[in-house]
Amino acid sequence: MRGFRRLIGSLRRYPWRFAGSIAAGAASIASSIGLLTVSAYLIARAALHPPLLDLSVAIVGVRFFGISRAVLRYVERLSSHDLSLRLLADLRTRVARALHRLGPAGVASFRAGDLVGRVLGDVDEIQHVFVRVIAPPLIAVVIAALTLLLALVWLPVSAFTILGPLLVAGVVVPWFTRRAGDAAGRTISADRGRMIGQTVEIIEGAPVIVALGAEDRLLAAADEAAERVAHAERRAAWMHGFGDAAILTLIGVSLVGTLWVSAVAVDAGSLDGVMIAVLAMLAVTPFESVATLPSAFERLGRSLGAADRLFEVIDGESPTAEADRPVPIPTEPTLAVRQATVVVANGDRVLGPIDLEIEPGMRVGVVGETGAGKTTLAHVLCRFLDPTVGTVTLDGVDVRDVASNDVRGFVGYEDDRAFLFRGSILGNVRIADQDASEGDVRSVLDGVRLGNWIDGLPDGVRTDVGEAGEEVSGGQRKRLALARALLADFPILILDEPISGLDPATADAVMDDLLAATAGRSLVLITHRPIGLDRMDQIVVMEAGTIVDRGTHPELLERSARYRSMWNAATGSGNR
Amino acid sequence: MRKSRTLPTEPTEPGSDRARPIDRRLFGLAEGARRYLWVTVGFGLASAVAVIIGAVVLAGIINDVFLNGAAPRSLTGALVVLGAVYLGRGALEWGRSVSAHRASATVKRSLRERVMRAVLAQTARGRSAGSGDLALTASTGIDALDAYFSHYLPQLVLGALVPLFAVVWMATVDPLSVVIIVLTVPLIPVFMWLIGTYADRATRSRWLTMRRLGDGLVETLRGLLTLEVYRAGGERLDRVKRLSDEYRRQTMATLRVAFLSAFVLELVATISVAVIAVAIGLRVVQGDLDFEPAMAILILAPEVYAPMRKAGSEFHAAMDGMEAARSMFAVLETADANDGERSGLLPVPQVAVGAPFVTLSDVSFSYPASDDAHTVQVLDGIDLSVVRGEHVALIGPSGAGKSTLIRLILGFGRPTGGSIDVGGVPLDRLDAGSWRSMIGWVRQEPFLISGTIADNVRLGAPGATTEDVASALRLVGADDLIPRLGETIGEQGRGLSHGQRRMVTLARAVLPNPALLLLDEPTAGIDTDTQLRIASAFDRIAVGRTVITVAHQRILVDLADRVITIDGGRIVTASRSEHR
């Protein structure tokens, strides 16, 4: 609910567009009220055979409303979508700004499994919120007010007979359909989830199922779930048409009631007979404005949830604090981690306490299984995350006193995904340094031995890498990521699983080349495949967030049976 | 297999039969659908009659009060009838909607079931059939049929019936209005079709640009780490803002055209009402037409155009449903097309240990590339004979064709050149079911069903006891999963680690005691501990079996009797291992 209120608050940036869109929507429905009431007036007056001139205003009115209805509706649809897209642009910018502030570590703290999918789904939902959820009730209110006004002018008592049913149709009916819908949705959703899961399993897993000869058993199970869903859907069918049916009936109530009070008024001489035709039309036409309310209400719950979740991201707190008066980084400093510990919001300790020193030019290997805390350590080193306890210092200067932008320029990081942006190879490498010349880019690409490959490409460095780099192979992607890290010229470079997902021959070649290309600078090599560790100055073994062993490669090979078996498994040397 | 999943919201290819309102297959394939079509027509008839009665009664009441000065009391009967008409219309509408949703539920269920059967049958015949897109369509995309059945179809029926009835009635009182209606009503579908086609084309051509623009935020999310590492986050913000504004401008340009069809629809409908109103008004003044029928015509006029307008507004939702249904029909039709069971299949021959078991002679495999212009050669002249009891490792870079080779041995797909024999009998003469029942296959991505761990292990051997399941897990070195046998795991094995998933699929493969094990990278992407456990279980698993392993990790390669290197679809080296 809070998020939704904030969302409505952002409408304030566009007061005129907002008012204009609602006005156009209301005027469009008012036109159809006008079309029929004026037409009824025209015909009723005509029945009294007045001179033709008396009818000319009514005739013009009918023609005007006949055209304005469609024009206004078109204007309304365009303006409401324009406003939606403006709100969407604002929202996207705010989400992007929040992501920038949170950084990868802050984003990771949102427990949602798939933040990308969630944010996009929510943004998509919000995209429709103005047109489908916010505008229809407001337009209905304007139409109700207009109807009230006309009723009061023409025959005050008809305000009761028309607005009573209109209110029921606009408030009670949507409320009821939403409640009934929720109840039905709850009973179906578990079975539905199972049915969807089984359908996907059978279709995507068909080869495995066929190979196992398990077709009939799985089909029978899927059939059972599908029948349960169909059964529940058949039973829930009664609630779907209720809204439309109720509104039709309420129109009947409005019409009959209004005709009765009008007839009484005409009989008493307090109402011109012509007006009963007009009032009959007024009793029917305003209901157009409430027809879409049931679906707006149905949608409301989803929109509220989406808005809340989005604003949770937008309001998220940065996991690092900027220093008020940042100090510069000392020259050629030693990076020292002292007793660094990271505790996440639910109280779990994901890292530490850790002690680690990286001298200029030193190469450190970090090994450990998934979940050992290697990535969290990398986030602390790049200052995407400040440790809860303990310090990270550069020659004694606490990194918290340094501008995080400066730390970023000092410590570089490439993770296992080696993400590539849509666009050219050149653009992807140049992200590291916007001012780099094509020659600079070319020389780092040669440095990671991509020169020959680039020469064979149709457009050289200007070749497109495809959406998320899908046009390049795993090995080329890792090399491109390394190239941009080299271009950025970080004094300390962290490479997280630089050979994951590569076949052994490629992995060995990439490892050799990356070690050669990074010669002379500090390197932190994070891996669960121990290739290349024999060429590190120091190796730390991590487990459950802490360092459980450290030493040089020969030392660990000698001392640790576990390290030895890992090494042998990867290299295939020695006996089992 | 495609991994990407897209919702079926993209506009379809040009020239598709998207706009065809009633697809005979939908009513031919699903029994509930045809019955519902008749129900809809019945309700449509009753509604059309009710609309006309309502208009006549209402006009009568107004006429009585206005021109005849009737006392309110004398109207009671007519008012009751009028109220009953609206109540009746409401009830009809409700009943129709209920039967629409029931029909929809039945049709969806039957389509789903038939598609699943068709996909399995196709796969068993060695043709690839399932995909992520189809799975999504069959599970949720098809729900869009609800809109088709409950909104679009009935409005279409009403859109035909109400004008027909109204015209018949009006012909008795005012032929001139009939002329106006007969001239304008057909304009609606014509305009809808004309503008719809144009707008669709305009939308489609802009679609790609719009998607590219819209993705600015996706890239920011996915590439956040990279942006921040290279201090490009701030620059990115401007980009998202710029792309969002550009997206808005492009979308609005599209919408201006796309909304035109709705605009014309509305315009024809309301102008026609206005024209009718003015025309009858003028004739009433001149005394050519009485007030009462004139009033009835005015009340009827909007009702004549309303169903068409509503059908127009439901058009896109309904067509999404039809689109989903059509992609499923396509699967059903291919499955039906090659339904002929092949006869004269042979049993799998007995092969002695040490004799040639699986023999590939000059096997090639290619498939047409996505642009259809050329073919992609995956395997190219593979000669390989595996003797019974042998343990062969296939190595080589990713994409070399190793997994394809495994699938061909399983009979999923046929070689485009050369042949595969089992004990001297060509594979395509064998009964595929009994051949596969002799094989234990572990593929690269573990496939797990939602259910208990025991259910998953037992998938290929339904008669296995809990003790059998436990000993299969023990055999592959997954003793830690034995106490968890009854534990329910979620879709795709949620709740288990990668290594555990692999263990479960390995246990599942060995439980039916297969003669041949096909292991496609059994240790890829899992932690070293599990890798070591699988490697040490290997001798136990392989004993008495023929094993073909696709492997990257040397730890497995070293265990093989023979190592075959495949690169670019060819065997480049074959070496006998020094291992044993």
Side-chain angles (χ1 to χ4, degrees), chain A residues 99-110:
Chain A
L99 294 174
H100 177 45
R101 192 183 60 243
L102 289 166
V107 166
S109 72
F110 287 96

PDB file of all heavy atoms in Angstrom, chain A residues 99-110:
ATOM      1  N   LEU A  99      19.741   0.892  -8.153  1.00  0.00           N
ATOM      2  CA  LEU A  99      20.689  -0.199  -8.410  1.00  0.00           C
ATOM      3  C   LEU A  99      22.121   0.327  -8.349  1.00  0.00           C
ATOM      4  O   LEU A  99      23.007  -0.306  -7.793  1.00  0.00           O
ATOM      5  CB  LEU A  99      20.423  -0.816  -9.786  1.00  0.00           C
ATOM      6  CG  LEU A  99      19.098  -1.544  -9.938  1.00  0.00           C
ATOM      7  CD1 LEU A  99      18.892  -1.970 -11.383  1.00  0.00           C
ATOM      8  CD2 LEU A  99      19.039  -2.745  -9.019  1.00  0.00           C
ATOM      9  N   HIS A 100      22.320   1.495  -8.933  1.00  0.00           N
ATOM     10  CA  HIS A 100      23.639   2.113  -8.925  1.00  0.00           C
ATOM     11  C   HIS A 100      24.091   2.361  -7.487  1.00  0.00           C
ATOM     12  O   HIS A 100      25.240   2.127  -7.133  1.00  0.00           O
ATOM     13  CB  HIS A 100      23.570   3.415  -9.727  1.00  0.00           C
ATOM     14  CG  HIS A 100      24.841   4.196  -9.757  1.00  0.00           C
ATOM     15  ND1 HIS A 100      26.058   3.610  -9.988  1.00  0.00           N
ATOM     16  CD2 HIS A 100      25.077   5.519  -9.589  1.00  0.00           C
ATOM     17  CE1 HIS A 100      26.993   4.539  -9.948  1.00  0.00           C
ATOM     18  NE2 HIS A 100      26.424   5.698  -9.714  1.00  0.00           N
ATOM     19  N   ARG A 101      23.158   2.834  -6.649  1.00  0.00           N
ATOM     20  CA  ARG A 101      23.503   3.126  -5.268  1.00  0.00           C
ATOM     21  C   ARG A 101      23.771   1.837  -4.487  1.00  0.00           C
ATOM     22  O   ARG A 101      24.691   1.751  -3.693  1.00  0.00           O
ATOM     23  CB  ARG A 101      22.366   3.916  -4.616  1.00  0.00           C
ATOM     24  CG  ARG A 101      22.740   4.509  -3.266  1.00  0.00           C
ATOM     25  CD  ARG A 101      21.565   5.225  -2.629  1.00  0.00           C
ATOM     26  NE  ARG A 101      20.456   4.341  -2.409  1.00  0.00           N
ATOM     27  CZ  ARG A 101      19.259   4.450  -2.970  1.00  0.00           C
ATOM     28  NH1 ARG A 101      19.023   5.427  -3.809  1.00  0.00           N
ATOM     29  NH2 ARG A 101      18.306   3.589  -2.703  1.00  0.00           N
ATOM     30  N   LEU A 102      22.928   0.818  -4.717  1.00  0.00           N
ATOM     31  CA  LEU A 102      23.044  -0.422  -3.957  1.00  0.00           C
ATOM     32  C   LEU A 102      24.287  -1.217  -4.349  1.00  0.00           C
ATOM     33  O   LEU A 102      24.916  -1.851  -3.509  1.00  0.00           O
ATOM     34  CB  LEU A 102      21.811  -1.295  -4.196  1.00  0.00           C
ATOM     35  CG  LEU A 102      20.505  -0.822  -3.568  1.00  0.00           C
ATOM     36  CD1 LEU A 102      19.335  -1.570  -4.167  1.00  0.00           C
ATOM     37  CD2 LEU A 102      20.552  -1.024  -2.065  1.00  0.00           C
ATOM     38  N   GLY A 103      24.623  -1.176  -5.644  1.00  0.00           N
ATOM     39  CA  GLY A 103      25.747  -1.975  -6.114  1.00  0.00           C
ATOM     40  C   GLY A 103      25.408  -3.449  -6.057  1.00  0.00           C
ATOM     41  O   GLY A 103      24.379  -3.836  -5.517  1.00  0.00           O
ATOM     42  N   PRO A 104      26.286  -4.290  -6.608  1.00  0.00           N
ATOM     43  CA  PRO A 104      25.987  -5.721  -6.674  1.00  0.00           C
ATOM     44  C   PRO A 104      25.744  -6.347  -5.304  1.00  0.00           C
ATOM     45  O   PRO A 104      24.891  -7.216  -5.169  1.00  0.00           O
ATOM     46  CB  PRO A 104      27.224  -6.326  -7.333  1.00  0.00           C
ATOM     47  CG  PRO A 104      28.119  -5.234  -7.683  1.00  0.00           C
ATOM     48  CD  PRO A 104      27.545  -3.937  -7.253  1.00  0.00           C
ATOM     49  N   ALA A 105      26.485  -5.905  -4.276  1.00  0.00           N
ATOM     50  CA  ALA A 105      26.318  -6.517  -2.956  1.00  0.00           C
ATOM     51  C   ALA A 105      24.963  -6.140  -2.368  1.00  0.00           C
ATOM     52  O   ALA A 105      24.281  -6.969  -1.762  1.00  0.00           O
ATOM     53  CB  ALA A 105      27.440  -6.087  -2.028  1.00  0.00           C
ATOM     54  N   GLY A 106      24.573  -4.883  -2.533  1.00  0.00           N
ATOM     55  CA  GLY A 106      23.280  -4.441  -2.011  1.00  0.00           C
ATOM     56  C   GLY A 106      22.129  -5.143  -2.706  1.00  0.00           C
ATOM     57  O   GLY A 106      21.146  -5.529  -2.084  1.00  0.00           O
ATOM     58  N   VAL A 107      22.262  -5.316  -4.020  1.00  0.00           N
ATOM     59  CA  VAL A 107      21.215  -5.989  -4.778  1.00  0.00           C
ATOM     60  C   VAL A 107      21.102  -7.440  -4.344  1.00  0.00           C
ATOM     61  O   VAL A 107      20.014  -7.997  -4.210  1.00  0.00           O
ATOM     62  CB  VAL A 107      21.506  -5.885  -6.297  1.00  0.00           C
ATOM     63  CG1 VAL A 107      20.647  -6.851  -7.080  1.00  0.00           C
ATOM     64  CG2 VAL A 107      21.264  -4.461  -6.764  1.00  0.00           C
ATOM     65  N   ALA A 108      22.269  -8.045  -4.062  1.00  0.00           N
ATOM     66  CA  ALA A 108      22.259  -9.453  -3.659  1.00  0.00           C
ATOM     67  C   ALA A 108      21.544  -9.648  -2.330  1.00  0.00           C
ATOM     68  O   ALA A 108      21.095 -10.747  -2.015  1.00  0.00           O
ATOM     69  CB  ALA A 108      23.692  -9.976  -3.570  1.00  0.00           C
ATOM     70  N   SER A 109      21.436  -8.575  -1.519  1.00  0.00           N
ATOM     71  CA  SER A 109      20.814  -8.734  -0.209  1.00  0.00           C
ATOM     72  C   SER A 109      19.300  -8.857  -0.300  1.00  0.00           C
ATOM     73  O   SER A 109      18.647  -9.214   0.672  1.00  0.00           O
ATOM     74  CB  SER A 109      21.190  -7.564   0.700  1.00  0.00           C
ATOM     75  OG  SER A 109      20.512  -6.411   0.262  1.00  0.00           O
ATOM     76  N   PHE A 110      18.707  -8.563  -1.479  1.00  0.00           N
ATOM     77  CA  PHE A 110      17.282  -8.811  -1.623  1.00  0.00           C
ATOM     78  C   PHE A 110      17.092 -10.298  -1.798  1.00  0.00           C
ATOM     79  O   PHE A 110      17.687 -10.904  -2.682  1.00  0.00           O
ATOM     80  CB  PHE A 110      16.702  -8.052  -2.819  1.00  0.00           C
ATOM     81  CG  PHE A 110      16.590  -6.598  -2.552  1.00  0.00           C
ATOM     82  CD1 PHE A 110      17.565  -5.728  -2.959  1.00  0.00           C
ATOM     83  CD2 PHE A 110      15.510  -6.112  -1.841  1.00  0.00           C
ATOM     84  CE1 PHE A 110      17.481  -4.386  -2.675  1.00  0.00           C
ATOM     85  CE2 PHE A 110      15.416  -4.764  -1.560  1.00  0.00           C
ATOM     86  CZ  PHE A 110      16.401  -3.899  -1.977  1.00  0.00           C
TER      87      PHE A 110
END
